[in-house]
Amino acid sequence: MPSTQSTPKEISPDQFQFLTALRAVTDMLPLGFAVIPWGILCGSLAIEIGLNPWQAQAMSLFVFAGAAQLASLNLLAGSGSMASIMTSTAVISARHLLYSAVIREDVRHLPLRWRVSLAFVLTDEMFAMALAHQAKTKRFDPHYALISGFAFYFIWNVSTLAGITLGTQIPNLDQLGLEFAIAATFIALVVPNIKDSPTLIAVAVSALVALACKQFQIPHGMILATGTGMVAAYIALQYSKRNGKQKGTLSTENAKEVK
Amino acid sequence: MTHSTESVWLIIALMSCITFAMRFAFLTNYMQSGLSKPVKEFLSFTAPAVLTAMWAPIVFMPEVTEQHEHLSVNPYLVAGVFTIGLSLITQRTMVIVAAGMAAFVGLTFFQ
């Protein structure tokens, strides 16, 4: 729409733009709907393992990180130590370092309250939406990012509340296999994204080390598995880069021959 | 769960600090530069590695509880492999999780 693209380039971040807000919310709706089951799962699982409703909701209100919340609930259920919960939270949310590094140049001139608010709602989904919007309009819009981020925050917390209500009303919800639901969720997040051999190696090595640690009762298996998986994948990436260059030259030669 | 109410509150508070720190790290004005390319490449493997470290033991080495003891096939393993197979065919996470859960529930109730 030309109406939003023709807005002045140097606009104060405090100026509220109704159209941008509307677009940010509607753009976020599909991803928002997709996250409802995870929110319900987080809320009901928290109740099931013994958190009180306030704690279950506080987790979504303040931690606001689906995978990290599910993982910590999984550890809490197995009476994991506080150290293991913090380490898993740090490792799982480390990808947000990447996101904040990417949007850094676009937001570092903004006042502190803007940067704090944007950081608070920086999720996989908000990052994806903000970058898609940037690709379309050729500029990073903090209004768009903030509003889509908070729209997602709202949906996440309402669905957590729904899960808490379900969890308190239906006992033995875990018999429906909530632990398996976590596994299925993580499989759905990981497996379709295995698009190159380094990622495949990250997954394979991490799985094997995690299973070996469980078999031989080695402590901190999850962290050990994650670390070895990442290192193996990184080595594989460097190796494939070196080989890729050679293969690249070969394939262009082959292409010439075919012609 | 063996944690007390107070320690759960402490866990939630510490987790909130960690997730916010990760998101805010490069938006502070104290950071002089962003991440180098090798660090970015390395970090890009955190999600697949850590999530797999959690799902692999649930699927391949489940602790069989009393309620599943009588079953002839392990619902975690069979439904897990089914879910992996499904996620190789389709990219739609909702479909994968819904069908995977349906397989699990089916295996536990109708066996």
Side-chain angles (χ1 to χ4, degrees), chain A residues 55 62-64 71 79-80 100 104 115 119 122 175 191 206 214 230 234 241, chain B residues 2-3 5 16 19 23 26-27 29 31-32 38 41 46 49 54 61 67 87:
Chain A
Q55 292 170 330
F62 301 115
V63 181
F64 186 37
S79 294
S100 88
R104 164 189 169 77
R115 284 180 282 125
L122 181 56
Q175 285 183 351
V191 177
S206 176
K214 189 167 183 188
M230 287 172 70
Y234 187 74
K241 269 187 190 169
Chain B
T2 54
H3 291 273
T5 311
S16 309
T19 50
R23 290 164 170 162
F26 288 96
L27 305 187
N29 283 333
M31 284 284 192
Q32 288 305 309
E41 285 176 346
T46 47
M54 286 186 284
M61 291 172 76
Q67 60 186 35
S87 57

PDB file of all heavy atoms in Angstrom, chain A residues 55 62-64 71 79-80 100 104 115 119 122 175 191 206 214 230 234 241, chain B residues 2-3 5 16 19 23 26-27 29 31-32 38 41 46 49 54 61 67 87:
ATOM      1  N   GLN A  55       2.168 -18.934  39.540  1.00  0.00           N
ATOM      2  CA  GLN A  55       3.511 -19.223  39.020  1.00  0.00           C
ATOM      3  C   GLN A  55       3.450 -19.600  37.546  1.00  0.00           C
ATOM      4  O   GLN A  55       4.279 -19.167  36.741  1.00  0.00           O
ATOM      5  CB  GLN A  55       4.137 -20.371  39.818  1.00  0.00           C
ATOM      6  CG  GLN A  55       4.454 -19.989  41.247  1.00  0.00           C
ATOM      7  CD  GLN A  55       4.856 -21.182  42.097  1.00  0.00           C
ATOM      8  OE1 GLN A  55       4.414 -22.308  41.860  1.00  0.00           O
ATOM      9  NE2 GLN A  55       5.688 -20.934  43.087  1.00  0.00           N
ATOM     10  N   PHE A  62       6.670 -13.292  32.304  1.00  0.00           N
ATOM     11  CA  PHE A  62       8.011 -12.736  32.466  1.00  0.00           C
ATOM     12  C   PHE A  62       9.096 -13.470  31.689  1.00  0.00           C
ATOM     13  O   PHE A  62      10.034 -12.858  31.198  1.00  0.00           O
ATOM     14  CB  PHE A  62       8.381 -12.679  33.951  1.00  0.00           C
ATOM     15  CG  PHE A  62       7.430 -11.851  34.763  1.00  0.00           C
ATOM     16  CD1 PHE A  62       6.642 -12.421  35.750  1.00  0.00           C
ATOM     17  CD2 PHE A  62       7.295 -10.487  34.509  1.00  0.00           C
ATOM     18  CE1 PHE A  62       5.750 -11.653  36.476  1.00  0.00           C
ATOM     19  CE2 PHE A  62       6.401  -9.712  35.233  1.00  0.00           C
ATOM     20  CZ  PHE A  62       5.632 -10.295  36.219  1.00  0.00           C
ATOM     21  N   VAL A  63       8.993 -14.798  31.620  1.00  0.00           N
ATOM     22  CA  VAL A  63      10.027 -15.544  30.873  1.00  0.00           C
ATOM     23  C   VAL A  63       9.728 -15.433  29.377  1.00  0.00           C
ATOM     24  O   VAL A  63      10.622 -15.159  28.580  1.00  0.00           O
ATOM     25  CB  VAL A  63      10.098 -17.010  31.328  1.00  0.00           C
ATOM     26  CG1 VAL A  63      11.182 -17.753  30.566  1.00  0.00           C
ATOM     27  CG2 VAL A  63      10.364 -17.091  32.830  1.00  0.00           C
ATOM     28  N   PHE A  64       8.445 -15.675  29.010  1.00  0.00           N
ATOM     29  CA  PHE A  64       7.970 -15.468  27.642  1.00  0.00           C
ATOM     30  C   PHE A  64       8.885 -16.116  26.604  1.00  0.00           C
ATOM     31  O   PHE A  64       9.409 -15.467  25.711  1.00  0.00           O
ATOM     32  CB  PHE A  64       7.845 -13.957  27.382  1.00  0.00           C
ATOM     33  CG  PHE A  64       7.229 -13.590  26.054  1.00  0.00           C
ATOM     34  CD1 PHE A  64       6.188 -14.329  25.513  1.00  0.00           C
ATOM     35  CD2 PHE A  64       7.699 -12.501  25.338  1.00  0.00           C
ATOM     36  CE1 PHE A  64       5.639 -13.990  24.285  1.00  0.00           C
ATOM     37  CE2 PHE A  64       7.160 -12.151  24.096  1.00  0.00           C
ATOM     38  CZ  PHE A  64       6.124 -12.898  23.580  1.00  0.00           C
ATOM     39  N   ALA A  71      11.034 -26.741  28.418  1.00  0.00           N
ATOM     40  CA  ALA A  71      12.210 -27.494  28.859  1.00  0.00           C
ATOM     41  C   ALA A  71      12.358 -27.406  30.376  1.00  0.00           C
ATOM     42  O   ALA A  71      12.649 -28.405  31.040  1.00  0.00           O
ATOM     43  CB  ALA A  71      13.456 -26.959  28.175  1.00  0.00           C
ATOM     44  N   SER A  79      12.477 -33.266  38.803  1.00  0.00           N
ATOM     45  CA  SER A  79      13.231 -32.733  39.944  1.00  0.00           C
ATOM     46  C   SER A  79      14.681 -32.388  39.588  1.00  0.00           C
ATOM     47  O   SER A  79      15.612 -32.696  40.326  1.00  0.00           O
ATOM     48  CB  SER A  79      13.191 -33.705  41.113  1.00  0.00           C
ATOM     49  OG  SER A  79      11.875 -33.794  41.579  1.00  0.00           O
ATOM     50  N   GLY A  80      14.835 -31.770  38.434  1.00  0.00           N
ATOM     51  CA  GLY A  80      16.167 -31.321  38.013  1.00  0.00           C
ATOM     52  C   GLY A  80      16.656 -30.196  38.910  1.00  0.00           C
ATOM     53  O   GLY A  80      15.862 -29.488  39.518  1.00  0.00           O
ATOM     54  N   SER A 100      19.112 -10.166  18.482  1.00  0.00           N
ATOM     55  CA  SER A 100      19.393  -8.815  18.961  1.00  0.00           C
ATOM     56  C   SER A 100      20.607  -8.235  18.238  1.00  0.00           C
ATOM     57  O   SER A 100      20.662  -7.038  17.986  1.00  0.00           O
ATOM     58  CB  SER A 100      19.521  -8.787  20.490  1.00  0.00           C
ATOM     59  OG  SER A 100      20.811  -9.047  20.925  1.00  0.00           O
ATOM     60  N   ARG A 104      20.307  -4.775  15.932  1.00  0.00           N
ATOM     61  CA  ARG A 104      21.082  -3.789  16.688  1.00  0.00           C
ATOM     62  C   ARG A 104      21.251  -2.449  15.980  1.00  0.00           C
ATOM     63  O   ARG A 104      20.925  -1.395  16.521  1.00  0.00           O
ATOM     64  CB  ARG A 104      22.445  -4.426  16.983  1.00  0.00           C
ATOM     65  CG  ARG A 104      23.517  -3.496  17.402  1.00  0.00           C
ATOM     66  CD  ARG A 104      24.836  -4.253  17.447  1.00  0.00           C
ATOM     67  NE  ARG A 104      25.939  -3.344  17.603  1.00  0.00           N
ATOM     68  CZ  ARG A 104      26.253  -2.785  18.761  1.00  0.00           C
ATOM     69  NH1 ARG A 104      25.537  -3.067  19.826  1.00  0.00           N
ATOM     70  NH2 ARG A 104      27.256  -1.961  18.841  1.00  0.00           N
ATOM     71  N   ARG A 115      14.305   0.413  23.478  1.00  0.00           N
ATOM     72  CA  ARG A 115      15.173  -0.758  23.317  1.00  0.00           C
ATOM     73  C   ARG A 115      14.803  -1.848  24.320  1.00  0.00           C
ATOM     74  O   ARG A 115      14.795  -3.026  23.984  1.00  0.00           O
ATOM     75  CB  ARG A 115      16.641  -0.344  23.462  1.00  0.00           C
ATOM     76  CG  ARG A 115      17.144   0.384  22.203  1.00  0.00           C
ATOM     77  CD  ARG A 115      18.581   0.810  22.319  1.00  0.00           C
ATOM     78  NE  ARG A 115      18.724   2.003  23.141  1.00  0.00           N
ATOM     79  CZ  ARG A 115      19.520   2.080  24.200  1.00  0.00           C
ATOM     80  NH1 ARG A 115      20.255   1.055  24.558  1.00  0.00           N
ATOM     81  NH2 ARG A 115      19.602   3.195  24.890  1.00  0.00           N
ATOM     82  N   ALA A 119      13.342  -5.442  23.219  1.00  0.00           N
ATOM     83  CA  ALA A 119      14.055  -6.648  23.679  1.00  0.00           C
ATOM     84  C   ALA A 119      13.099  -7.586  24.397  1.00  0.00           C
ATOM     85  O   ALA A 119      13.141  -8.799  24.204  1.00  0.00           O
ATOM     86  CB  ALA A 119      15.216  -6.267  24.592  1.00  0.00           C
ATOM     87  N   LEU A 122      11.117  -9.619  21.952  1.00  0.00           N
ATOM     88  CA  LEU A 122      11.890 -10.184  20.831  1.00  0.00           C
ATOM     89  C   LEU A 122      11.801 -11.716  20.859  1.00  0.00           C
ATOM     90  O   LEU A 122      12.422 -12.365  21.681  1.00  0.00           O
ATOM     91  CB  LEU A 122      13.354  -9.725  20.932  1.00  0.00           C
ATOM     92  CG  LEU A 122      14.322 -10.174  19.845  1.00  0.00           C
ATOM     93  CD1 LEU A 122      13.833  -9.775  18.469  1.00  0.00           C
ATOM     94  CD2 LEU A 122      15.700  -9.580  20.072  1.00  0.00           C
ATOM     95  N   GLN A 175      -1.893 -38.045  31.535  1.00  0.00           N
ATOM     96  CA  GLN A 175      -2.118 -39.366  30.934  1.00  0.00           C
ATOM     97  C   GLN A 175      -2.356 -39.245  29.438  1.00  0.00           C
ATOM     98  O   GLN A 175      -2.263 -40.218  28.710  1.00  0.00           O
ATOM     99  CB  GLN A 175      -3.300 -40.057  31.611  1.00  0.00           C
ATOM    100  CG  GLN A 175      -2.889 -40.575  32.992  1.00  0.00           C
ATOM    101  CD  GLN A 175      -3.994 -41.325  33.684  1.00  0.00           C
ATOM    102  OE1 GLN A 175      -5.133 -41.341  33.232  1.00  0.00           O
ATOM    103  NE2 GLN A 175      -3.650 -41.936  34.792  1.00  0.00           N
ATOM    104  N   VAL A 191      13.194 -31.137  12.929  1.00  0.00           N
ATOM    105  CA  VAL A 191      13.403 -32.005  11.763  1.00  0.00           C
ATOM    106  C   VAL A 191      13.124 -31.315  10.415  1.00  0.00           C
ATOM    107  O   VAL A 191      13.936 -31.430   9.499  1.00  0.00           O
ATOM    108  CB  VAL A 191      12.617 -33.326  11.918  1.00  0.00           C
ATOM    109  CG1 VAL A 191      12.764 -34.211  10.688  1.00  0.00           C
ATOM    110  CG2 VAL A 191      13.106 -34.081  13.158  1.00  0.00           C
ATOM    111  N   SER A 206      23.996 -34.659  18.835  1.00  0.00           N
ATOM    112  CA  SER A 206      23.291 -34.277  20.053  1.00  0.00           C
ATOM    113  C   SER A 206      22.403 -35.420  20.557  1.00  0.00           C
ATOM    114  O   SER A 206      22.393 -35.727  21.759  1.00  0.00           O
ATOM    115  CB  SER A 206      22.459 -33.031  19.774  1.00  0.00           C
ATOM    116  OG  SER A 206      21.711 -32.689  20.892  1.00  0.00           O
ATOM    117  N   LYS A 214      22.190 -40.683  29.119  1.00  0.00           N
ATOM    118  CA  LYS A 214      21.084 -41.243  29.905  1.00  0.00           C
ATOM    119  C   LYS A 214      21.365 -42.709  30.235  1.00  0.00           C
ATOM    120  O   LYS A 214      21.149 -43.148  31.362  1.00  0.00           O
ATOM    121  CB  LYS A 214      19.777 -41.104  29.127  1.00  0.00           C
ATOM    122  CG  LYS A 214      18.586 -41.470  29.976  1.00  0.00           C
ATOM    123  CD  LYS A 214      17.269 -41.065  29.372  1.00  0.00           C
ATOM    124  CE  LYS A 214      16.134 -41.417  30.343  1.00  0.00           C
ATOM    125  NZ  LYS A 214      14.813 -41.227  29.759  1.00  0.00           N
ATOM    126  N   MET A 230      26.804 -28.951  18.821  1.00  0.00           N
ATOM    127  CA  MET A 230      27.134 -27.667  18.198  1.00  0.00           C
ATOM    128  C   MET A 230      28.555 -27.638  17.666  1.00  0.00           C
ATOM    129  O   MET A 230      28.809 -27.144  16.559  1.00  0.00           O
ATOM    130  CB  MET A 230      26.926 -26.533  19.215  1.00  0.00           C
ATOM    131  CG  MET A 230      25.471 -26.227  19.492  1.00  0.00           C
ATOM    132  SD  MET A 230      25.261 -25.073  20.844  1.00  0.00           S
ATOM    133  CE  MET A 230      25.880 -23.560  20.081  1.00  0.00           C
ATOM    134  N   TYR A 234      29.672 -27.245  13.799  1.00  0.00           N
ATOM    135  CA  TYR A 234      30.526 -26.126  13.385  1.00  0.00           C
ATOM    136  C   TYR A 234      31.732 -26.629  12.592  1.00  0.00           C
ATOM    137  O   TYR A 234      32.079 -26.055  11.555  1.00  0.00           O
ATOM    138  CB  TYR A 234      30.980 -25.326  14.610  1.00  0.00           C
ATOM    139  CG  TYR A 234      31.725 -24.064  14.244  1.00  0.00           C
ATOM    140  CD1 TYR A 234      31.050 -22.959  13.741  1.00  0.00           C
ATOM    141  CD2 TYR A 234      33.111 -23.998  14.361  1.00  0.00           C
ATOM    142  CE1 TYR A 234      31.726 -21.813  13.383  1.00  0.00           C
ATOM    143  CE2 TYR A 234      33.801 -22.850  14.009  1.00  0.00           C
ATOM    144  CZ  TYR A 234      33.090 -21.757  13.522  1.00  0.00           C
ATOM    145  OH  TYR A 234      33.769 -20.627  13.163  1.00  0.00           O
ATOM    146  N   LYS A 241      32.491 -25.951   3.817  1.00  0.00           N
ATOM    147  CA  LYS A 241      32.826 -24.701   3.123  1.00  0.00           C
ATOM    148  C   LYS A 241      34.061 -24.889   2.258  1.00  0.00           C
ATOM    149  O   LYS A 241      34.105 -24.478   1.106  1.00  0.00           O
ATOM    150  CB  LYS A 241      33.118 -23.602   4.148  1.00  0.00           C
ATOM    151  CG  LYS A 241      31.920 -22.783   4.548  1.00  0.00           C
ATOM    152  CD  LYS A 241      32.406 -21.661   5.408  1.00  0.00           C
ATOM    153  CE  LYS A 241      31.284 -20.918   6.074  1.00  0.00           C
ATOM    154  NZ  LYS A 241      31.830 -20.013   7.095  1.00  0.00           N
TER     155      LYS A 241
ATOM    156  N   THR B   2      10.142 -31.699  43.425  1.00  0.00           N
ATOM    157  CA  THR B   2      10.636 -31.582  44.795  1.00  0.00           C
ATOM    158  C   THR B   2      10.928 -30.135  45.204  1.00  0.00           C
ATOM    159  O   THR B   2      11.262 -29.865  46.341  1.00  0.00           O
ATOM    160  CB  THR B   2      11.923 -32.399  44.969  1.00  0.00           C
ATOM    161  OG1 THR B   2      12.842 -31.988  43.977  1.00  0.00           O
ATOM    162  CG2 THR B   2      11.659 -33.892  44.830  1.00  0.00           C
ATOM    163  N   HIS B   3      10.799 -29.196  44.244  1.00  0.00           N
ATOM    164  CA  HIS B   3      11.118 -27.811  44.573  1.00  0.00           C
ATOM    165  C   HIS B   3       9.999 -27.165  45.402  1.00  0.00           C
ATOM    166  O   HIS B   3       8.826 -27.421  45.168  1.00  0.00           O
ATOM    167  CB  HIS B   3      11.338 -27.001  43.294  1.00  0.00           C
ATOM    168  CG  HIS B   3      12.579 -27.396  42.566  1.00  0.00           C
ATOM    169  ND1 HIS B   3      13.815 -26.861  42.844  1.00  0.00           N
ATOM    170  CD2 HIS B   3      12.784 -28.287  41.578  1.00  0.00           C
ATOM    171  CE1 HIS B   3      14.720 -27.400  42.052  1.00  0.00           C
ATOM    172  NE2 HIS B   3      14.124 -28.275  41.273  1.00  0.00           N
ATOM    173  N   THR B   5       7.686 -23.913  46.906  1.00  0.00           N
ATOM    174  CA  THR B   5       7.041 -22.771  46.253  1.00  0.00           C
ATOM    175  C   THR B   5       8.023 -21.620  46.087  1.00  0.00           C
ATOM    176  O   THR B   5       8.087 -20.998  45.027  1.00  0.00           O
ATOM    177  CB  THR B   5       5.848 -22.279  47.102  1.00  0.00           C
ATOM    178  OG1 THR B   5       5.061 -23.419  47.447  1.00  0.00           O
ATOM    179  CG2 THR B   5       4.997 -21.295  46.346  1.00  0.00           C
ATOM    180  N   SER B  16      13.606 -15.413  33.928  1.00  0.00           N
ATOM    181  CA  SER B  16      13.224 -14.152  33.294  1.00  0.00           C
ATOM    182  C   SER B  16      14.455 -13.291  33.034  1.00  0.00           C
ATOM    183  O   SER B  16      14.587 -12.680  31.970  1.00  0.00           O
ATOM    184  CB  SER B  16      12.258 -13.375  34.188  1.00  0.00           C
ATOM    185  OG  SER B  16      11.193 -14.187  34.586  1.00  0.00           O
ATOM    186  N   THR B  19      16.443 -14.895  29.993  1.00  0.00           N
ATOM    187  CA  THR B  19      15.869 -14.689  28.657  1.00  0.00           C
ATOM    188  C   THR B  19      15.931 -13.207  28.265  1.00  0.00           C
ATOM    189  O   THR B  19      16.233 -12.880  27.120  1.00  0.00           O
ATOM    190  CB  THR B  19      14.412 -15.200  28.552  1.00  0.00           C
ATOM    191  OG1 THR B  19      13.653 -14.683  29.636  1.00  0.00           O
ATOM    192  CG2 THR B  19      14.350 -16.702  28.574  1.00  0.00           C
ATOM    193  N   ARG B  23      18.049 -11.283  25.016  1.00  0.00           N
ATOM    194  CA  ARG B  23      17.352 -10.446  24.029  1.00  0.00           C
ATOM    195  C   ARG B  23      17.892  -9.018  24.012  1.00  0.00           C
ATOM    196  O   ARG B  23      17.863  -8.348  22.981  1.00  0.00           O
ATOM    197  CB  ARG B  23      15.856 -10.425  24.356  1.00  0.00           C
ATOM    198  CG  ARG B  23      15.195 -11.740  24.095  1.00  0.00           C
ATOM    199  CD  ARG B  23      13.850 -11.826  24.761  1.00  0.00           C
ATOM    200  NE  ARG B  23      13.142 -13.023  24.278  1.00  0.00           N
ATOM    201  CZ  ARG B  23      12.118 -13.578  24.881  1.00  0.00           C
ATOM    202  NH1 ARG B  23      11.657 -13.054  25.992  1.00  0.00           N
ATOM    203  NH2 ARG B  23      11.540 -14.648  24.386  1.00  0.00           N
ATOM    204  N   PHE B  26      22.574  -7.132  22.783  1.00  0.00           N
ATOM    205  CA  PHE B  26      23.175  -6.301  21.741  1.00  0.00           C
ATOM    206  C   PHE B  26      22.422  -5.001  21.505  1.00  0.00           C
ATOM    207  O   PHE B  26      22.727  -4.251  20.590  1.00  0.00           O
ATOM    208  CB  PHE B  26      23.331  -7.104  20.454  1.00  0.00           C
ATOM    209  CG  PHE B  26      24.416  -8.120  20.573  1.00  0.00           C
ATOM    210  CD1 PHE B  26      24.122  -9.424  20.919  1.00  0.00           C
ATOM    211  CD2 PHE B  26      25.742  -7.768  20.394  1.00  0.00           C
ATOM    212  CE1 PHE B  26      25.124 -10.351  21.073  1.00  0.00           C
ATOM    213  CE2 PHE B  26      26.758  -8.681  20.546  1.00  0.00           C
ATOM    214  CZ  PHE B  26      26.450  -9.988  20.886  1.00  0.00           C
ATOM    215  N   LEU B  27      21.421  -4.746  22.349  1.00  0.00           N
ATOM    216  CA  LEU B  27      20.686  -3.492  22.214  1.00  0.00           C
ATOM    217  C   LEU B  27      21.139  -2.471  23.259  1.00  0.00           C
ATOM    218  O   LEU B  27      20.630  -1.357  23.318  1.00  0.00           O
ATOM    219  CB  LEU B  27      19.176  -3.739  22.342  1.00  0.00           C
ATOM    220  CG  LEU B  27      18.590  -4.781  21.388  1.00  0.00           C
ATOM    221  CD1 LEU B  27      17.078  -4.820  21.495  1.00  0.00           C
ATOM    222  CD2 LEU B  27      18.995  -4.519  19.950  1.00  0.00           C
ATOM    223  N   ASN B  29      23.896   0.158  24.860  1.00  0.00           N
ATOM    224  CA  ASN B  29      24.878   1.023  24.209  1.00  0.00           C
ATOM    225  C   ASN B  29      26.301   0.721  24.663  1.00  0.00           C
ATOM    226  O   ASN B  29      27.253   1.313  24.201  1.00  0.00           O
ATOM    227  CB  ASN B  29      24.545   2.490  24.469  1.00  0.00           C
ATOM    228  CG  ASN B  29      23.396   2.923  23.581  1.00  0.00           C
ATOM    229  OD1 ASN B  29      23.197   2.355  22.501  1.00  0.00           O
ATOM    230  ND2 ASN B  29      22.620   3.901  24.031  1.00  0.00           N
ATOM    231  N   MET B  31      27.669  -2.269  24.351  1.00  0.00           N
ATOM    232  CA  MET B  31      28.276  -3.159  23.360  1.00  0.00           C
ATOM    233  C   MET B  31      28.788  -2.330  22.185  1.00  0.00           C
ATOM    234  O   MET B  31      28.027  -1.609  21.555  1.00  0.00           O
ATOM    235  CB  MET B  31      27.239  -4.170  22.864  1.00  0.00           C
ATOM    236  CG  MET B  31      26.978  -5.271  23.849  1.00  0.00           C
ATOM    237  SD  MET B  31      28.329  -6.465  23.846  1.00  0.00           S
ATOM    238  CE  MET B  31      27.563  -7.779  24.788  1.00  0.00           C
ATOM    239  N   GLN B  32      30.064  -2.453  21.911  1.00  0.00           N
ATOM    240  CA  GLN B  32      30.637  -1.635  20.854  1.00  0.00           C
ATOM    241  C   GLN B  32      30.392  -2.220  19.462  1.00  0.00           C
ATOM    242  O   GLN B  32      30.277  -1.497  18.497  1.00  0.00           O
ATOM    243  CB  GLN B  32      32.142  -1.441  21.083  1.00  0.00           C
ATOM    244  CG  GLN B  32      32.448  -0.511  22.251  1.00  0.00           C
ATOM    245  CD  GLN B  32      31.774   0.856  22.111  1.00  0.00           C
ATOM    246  OE1 GLN B  32      31.890   1.509  21.087  1.00  0.00           O
ATOM    247  NE2 GLN B  32      31.049   1.270  23.148  1.00  0.00           N
ATOM    248  N   PRO B  38      31.850 -16.088  12.679  1.00  0.00           N
ATOM    249  CA  PRO B  38      31.984 -17.439  13.249  1.00  0.00           C
ATOM    250  C   PRO B  38      31.087 -17.671  14.459  1.00  0.00           C
ATOM    251  O   PRO B  38      30.505 -18.750  14.603  1.00  0.00           O
ATOM    252  CB  PRO B  38      33.459 -17.510  13.655  1.00  0.00           C
ATOM    253  CG  PRO B  38      34.147 -16.496  12.833  1.00  0.00           C
ATOM    254  CD  PRO B  38      33.158 -15.409  12.590  1.00  0.00           C
ATOM    255  N   GLU B  41      27.590 -18.193  13.235  1.00  0.00           N
ATOM    256  CA  GLU B  41      27.455 -19.537  12.657  1.00  0.00           C
ATOM    257  C   GLU B  41      27.333 -20.580  13.757  1.00  0.00           C
ATOM    258  O   GLU B  41      26.489 -21.476  13.693  1.00  0.00           O
ATOM    259  CB  GLU B  41      28.678 -19.849  11.788  1.00  0.00           C
ATOM    260  CG  GLU B  41      28.671 -19.128  10.460  1.00  0.00           C
ATOM    261  CD  GLU B  41      29.946 -19.378   9.663  1.00  0.00           C
ATOM    262  OE1 GLU B  41      30.936 -19.884  10.239  1.00  0.00           O
ATOM    263  OE2 GLU B  41      29.952 -19.049   8.474  1.00  0.00           O
ATOM    264  N   THR B  46      22.455 -23.805  17.999  1.00  0.00           N
ATOM    265  CA  THR B  46      21.947 -24.052  19.361  1.00  0.00           C
ATOM    266  C   THR B  46      20.559 -24.687  19.330  1.00  0.00           C
ATOM    267  O   THR B  46      20.329 -25.676  20.020  1.00  0.00           O
ATOM    268  CB  THR B  46      21.843 -22.766  20.219  1.00  0.00           C
ATOM    269  OG1 THR B  46      21.213 -21.760  19.457  1.00  0.00           O
ATOM    270  CG2 THR B  46      23.185 -22.298  20.699  1.00  0.00           C
ATOM    271  N   ALA B  49      20.425 -28.414  18.239  1.00  0.00           N
ATOM    272  CA  ALA B  49      21.171 -29.274  19.166  1.00  0.00           C
ATOM    273  C   ALA B  49      20.447 -29.408  20.503  1.00  0.00           C
ATOM    274  O   ALA B  49      20.252 -30.512  21.011  1.00  0.00           O
ATOM    275  CB  ALA B  49      22.582 -28.733  19.373  1.00  0.00           C
ATOM    276  N   MET B  54      16.734 -32.813  24.084  1.00  0.00           N
ATOM    277  CA  MET B  54      15.573 -33.039  24.935  1.00  0.00           C
ATOM    278  C   MET B  54      14.586 -34.049  24.358  1.00  0.00           C
ATOM    279  O   MET B  54      14.027 -34.847  25.093  1.00  0.00           O
ATOM    280  CB  MET B  54      14.884 -31.702  25.234  1.00  0.00           C
ATOM    281  CG  MET B  54      15.693 -30.893  26.234  1.00  0.00           C
ATOM    282  SD  MET B  54      14.873 -29.417  26.758  1.00  0.00           S
ATOM    283  CE  MET B  54      15.115 -28.381  25.352  1.00  0.00           C
ATOM    284  N   MET B  61      14.421 -43.445  24.694  1.00  0.00           N
ATOM    285  CA  MET B  61      14.647 -44.109  25.973  1.00  0.00           C
ATOM    286  C   MET B  61      13.615 -43.658  27.002  1.00  0.00           C
ATOM    287  O   MET B  61      13.967 -43.128  28.044  1.00  0.00           O
ATOM    288  CB  MET B  61      16.055 -43.797  26.485  1.00  0.00           C
ATOM    289  CG  MET B  61      17.146 -44.438  25.648  1.00  0.00           C
ATOM    290  SD  MET B  61      18.771 -43.848  26.162  1.00  0.00           S
ATOM    291  CE  MET B  61      18.966 -44.769  27.660  1.00  0.00           C
ATOM    292  N   GLN B  67       1.214 -46.831  34.046  1.00  0.00           N
ATOM    293  CA  GLN B  67       0.045 -46.778  33.172  1.00  0.00           C
ATOM    294  C   GLN B  67       0.327 -47.334  31.773  1.00  0.00           C
ATOM    295  O   GLN B  67      -0.588 -47.688  31.048  1.00  0.00           O
ATOM    296  CB  GLN B  67      -0.463 -45.338  33.058  1.00  0.00           C
ATOM    297  CG  GLN B  67       0.572 -44.381  32.472  1.00  0.00           C
ATOM    298  CD  GLN B  67       0.100 -42.938  32.514  1.00  0.00           C
ATOM    299  OE1 GLN B  67      -0.570 -42.555  33.426  1.00  0.00           O
ATOM    300  NE2 GLN B  67       0.449 -42.162  31.531  1.00  0.00           N
ATOM    301  N   SER B  87       7.438 -35.419   9.833  1.00  0.00           N
ATOM    302  CA  SER B  87       8.079 -34.103   9.699  1.00  0.00           C
ATOM    303  C   SER B  87       9.098 -34.088   8.570  1.00  0.00           C
ATOM    304  O   SER B  87       9.612 -33.030   8.209  1.00  0.00           O
ATOM    305  CB  SER B  87       8.706 -33.673  11.025  1.00  0.00           C
ATOM    306  OG  SER B  87       9.627 -34.618  11.457  1.00  0.00           O
TER     307      SER B  87
END
